[in-house]
Amino acid sequence: MQEKVGPLDKKDEKFVYTSGSHNCGGRCLLKVQVRDGRVIAITNEDDQPDTPSYFQLRGCLRCRAYRDRLYHPDRLLYPLKRLGKRGEGKFEQITWTEALDYIAHKTKKVMQTYGPEAIYLNYGTGNGGQVSERTWLKRLLSLYGGYLSYYGSYSSACTSIATPYTYGTNQTGNSREDWVNSKLLILLGWNPADTVWGTNTSYYLKKAKAAGAKIIVIDPIYTNTAVGLADQWIAIRPTTDSALLAAMAYVLITENLYDAAFLDQFCLGFDEEHMPEGILPGNSYKSYILGVSADQTKKTPLWAESITGIPENVIIELARAYGTMKPAALIEGYGPQRHAYGEQIVRSGPVLAAMMGNIGIAGGWASGKGNEARNHFVAAIPYENPCKAKISVFNWPDAILHGKGMGGDFSVQGVKCLSTNIKLIFNVAGNCLVNQHSDANQTAALLQDESLVECIVVNDQFMTASAKFADIILPADNMMERNDIVQSWAYGDYVLYMNQAVETIGQCRNGYDWVSDLAVRLNLKDEFTEGKSLDEWLQYLVCETAKQNPGFPAYETFRAQGIYRWHHDRPAIAFEKQIANPSQYPFPTPSGKIEIFSERLWDMKKPAEIPAIPKYIPTWEGPADPLIEKYPLQCIGSHSKRRVHSTFDNVKWLEEVERHEVWINSMDAATRGIRQDDRVQVYNERGKIELPAKVTARIMPGVVSVPEGAWWMPDSQGIDQRGSINTLTKYQPTPLAFGNPQHTNLVEIKKI
Ligand SMILES: Nc1nc2c(c(=O)[nH]1)N[C@H]1C(S)=C(S)[C@@H](COP(=O)(O)OP(=O)(O)OC[C@H]3O[C@@H](n4cnc5c(=O)[nH]c(N)nc54)[C@H](O)[C@@H]3O)O[C@H]1N2
Ligand SMILES: Nc1nc2c(c(=O)[nH]1)N[C@H]1C(S)=C(S)[C@@H](COP(=O)(O)OP(=O)(O)OC[C@H]3O[C@@H](n4cnc5c(=O)[nH]c(N)nc54)[C@H](O)[C@@H]3O)O[C@H]1N2
Ligand SMILES: [Mo]
């Protein structure tokens, strides 16, 4: 594949500036060459020079290979209606008029019979644009009476719920320019070399390394980040990070390396002298670490060795490094929290940061991958959902089965409990109905039952696993076929204009177009459109954005340059004010302190699963589960560079880059007679998948990885022949966040 643009040698040729809008971890400036109405090359040639103050936003392999997706022969070209049983995958072509009439009819019926809480707009991140079809659907459904929405995400369920119990906010990250100020960067389950995590994040890490920072990667996999950037790789058994951090705390306490003054001034619950009133002795974090709490167990490095698989002396050295190299940044990715007790690692990290006073200072790091302490206002399409009920993003199968009355367990927000089960699902730009949600076989059975969900509408570009369960499929236009605006992903002080490169193919339609037609059928056309065209809405967004950002360019200028950047003199430091001026700026928690001990959690009275201080909790299907006798391998599903979740799985150029395969350690392979490239079966009680094996020393013994996102393709026996990890994952929401524990799985592997 050669992707190199220009020169323009024909009259009808042009360059178009756009960006990707999938959920890929980055947002880059793409320069697209169009000839005779077709994209002939896509490159990352940002026309601005690459300077220390202006890093070019270079596209990655996925957008470089985008033509193979845009012009894929399997693109959906017209609306489809289900034939046969739901999930069978048989459809007939219908017209847009028929499709929208049907959807309008079902929406009215479900709204009248059950009310708005029966209409669910499922998670879906395929289109991150400001004027995406999701946005329009939210606006229309809000005008029509509302819909059941969700809180959290499949990305950061535990982070987003658990972090505020410690800090009162999720804005806990410094900006990336600050990493050069760190002496030590510990990357815990974070692999930005593959997952990008904001365009150029690896580059910022590289700059930190060049400035002298030591980088340690702690991950069951010797990731590309570890290969490219780390001074040290420490392999850890999945689900056990909280034990590692507890043992590090033990070393810091017993070797008196910690910052007692910082804890004294800013924290609640570190030791018995700093506890809320009325809590019995033995419940502080220090008591837990020193074994003077109920469990009577000292959290020594030796204790942690048996749990994490990391040798005692490595833990001691790691703790001493963190205890002596200040400032230091302990940065957890989302991998460690996408586990059965993911909340615990989210709350463990901040304790170490507090123990070393690494909070609110340059070169430090407060917590995990919370949001950056700096953000920029970009206007959004207005809507207000009158239906206040929210379920956890992961919890919708429960809301289908027994939504009515659900909520007594605190899983529901906005209302005390739900008034109805889910009856109508809109699944737009997402594959979380089946492929990206846990336990595909179980979910498929749930969706097949037409007495439960009465109608499923899918809007996508391909016949995905989720689309197969639709009653109506609407073909979506592609990001190269429309105008839009996108914000940076996680990091980056810029916003991009996506210029349409080519015409929409087949009968695919833009979201604004078809949702407007649906609005006509719900008698809401004028309220919905306000008489504006899509272009006028984009102009409105730029105008509203400019109101709060002096210097923001006019619409046509923004379009032409494709990007607007904010400039800052210095990095943002999370909690800078709270540390510099505590009397004026308390932490936004109930106590005004960093809550190592949370009374709010204490009051939930579920200490075994929701402790008031962060603890190591041995997980189901973790190394301590007796099930490991039968299924001896922990299976994670890390994010791969060749896909964005399930998007791009059908792109053959990317399969050439990195074949979909299960990573297995050479020792585990040898005992099973498995050799490189052998086709193997990975299985547990929930399902079976078949795929080639990658036999490698780059994954620790006892752990395998099936990179998430491969398409679920069960054969007649139900054996998934492509290898979606979610054929194997368990549907069991985490205790506090009701989040997705999709990296917590036990499996066995055999050669086939
Ligand atoms: N190429 C690509 N980039 C992406 C995405 C994509 O699909 N493809 N998706 C984007 C999105 S939406 C998100 S949310 C992010 C996801 O980003 P993350 O959630 O951070 O990505 P993961 O690969 O799930 O996990 C990161 C690392 O954690 C490790 N890990 C798993 N379990 C454990 C554990 O228990 N302990 C420790 N220490 N490590 C563990 C994995 O081996 C992996 O290397 O990536 C974004 N970037
Ligand atoms: N086991 C396991 N499962 C996971 C994860 C994991 O780590 N392990 N990660 C989770 C995470 S972090 C996330 S964010 C979710 C992501 O899950 P999803 O949000 O479902 O992401 P994708 O699989 O990329 O699905 C996006 C869909 O949108 C379609 N699409 C692309 N562009 C457009 C468009 O312009 N319009 C429309 N209508 N459709 C479009 C694509 O074809 C694709 O089918 O997966 C989660 N699932
Ligand atoms: Mo995500």
Side-chain angles (χ1 to χ4, degrees), residues 22-26 60-62 123 125 153-156 187-198 217-225 234-241 244 332-339 345 369 436 489 634 636-647 699 703 705 708-709 743-744:
H22 302 312
N23 194 13
C24 56
C60 78
L61 69 163
R62 296 178 294 279
Y123 184 84
T125 62
S153 69
Y154 281 78
S155 314
S156 60
L187 313 184
L188 189 77
W190 192 40
N191 180 23
D194 285 343
T195 55
V196 191
W197 266 93
V217 167
I218 306 175
D219 200 300
I221 297 177
Y222 187 41
T223 59
N224 283 336
T225 304
I234 299 175
I236 185 167
R237 285 189 193 123
T239 73
T240 68
D241 301 80
L244 169 68
E332 304 111 49
Y334 287 161
Q337 57 94 60
R338 207 171 289 112
H339 276 294
I345 182 58
K369 294 299 309 146
Q436 296 304 108
W489 202 102
Q634 286 187 267
I636 57 176
S638 43
H639 290 226
S640 149
K641 69 169 186 258
R642 55 86 73 223
R643 274 190 293 265
V644 173
H645 311 291
S646 69
T647 307
I699 189 161
V703 182
S705 175
E708 61 104 38
H743 287 330
T744 306

Side-chain angles (χ1 to χ4, degrees), residues 1 69 78 135 208 213 278 387 473 505 524-525 548 661 724:
M1 177 194 26
R69 183 167 194 279
Y78 37 77
T135 307
C387 172
I473 304 178
I505 61 165
L524 287 165
K525 169 97 191 220
Q548 296 195 36
E661 52 201 2
S724 170

Side-chain angles (χ1 to χ4, degrees), residues 77-113:
L77 296 176
Y78 37 77
L80 294 168
K81 185 169 186 200
R82 170 166 66 89
L83 293 173
K85 286 212 259 187
R86 195 186 277 156
E88 246 182 336
K90 291 194 191 133
F91 294 91
E92 64 173 339
Q93 180 176 349
I94 55 170
T95 64
W96 272 97
T97 305
E98 288 167 322
L100 293 173
D101 283 349
Y102 184 87
I103 296 167
H105 165 71
K106 285 287 180 185
T107 308
K108 282 183 197 165
K109 190 166 156 239
V110 169
M111 184 67 92
Q112 277 157 16
T113 318

Side-chain angles (χ1 to χ4, degrees), residues 21-23 66 69 123-128 133 153-156 334 338 427-433 435-438 459-462 464 466 474-479 482 489 514 636-639 644-648 706 708-709 711 725-726 729 740 742-743 745:
S21 57
H22 302 312
N23 194 13
Y66 206 80
R69 183 167 194 279
Y123 184 84
T125 62
N127 179 2
E133 47 284 86
S153 69
Y154 281 78
S155 314
S156 60
Y334 287 161
R338 207 171 289 112
N427 188 83
V428 170
N431 202 356
C432 276
L433 262 191
N435 214 78
Q436 296 304 108
H437 182 72
S438 289
N459 175 230
D460 207 297
Q461 294 152 347
F462 290 99
T464 63
S466 297
L474 303 176
D477 62 351
N478 181 279
M479 66 187 196
R482 61 185 176 231
W489 202 102
W514 66 260
I636 57 176
S638 43
H639 290 226
V644 173
H645 311 291
S646 69
T647 307
F648 295 96
V706 177
E708 61 104 38
W711 285 17
I725 170 125
N726 286 319
T729 55
N740 47 330
Q742 284 169 300
H743 287 330
N745 311 286

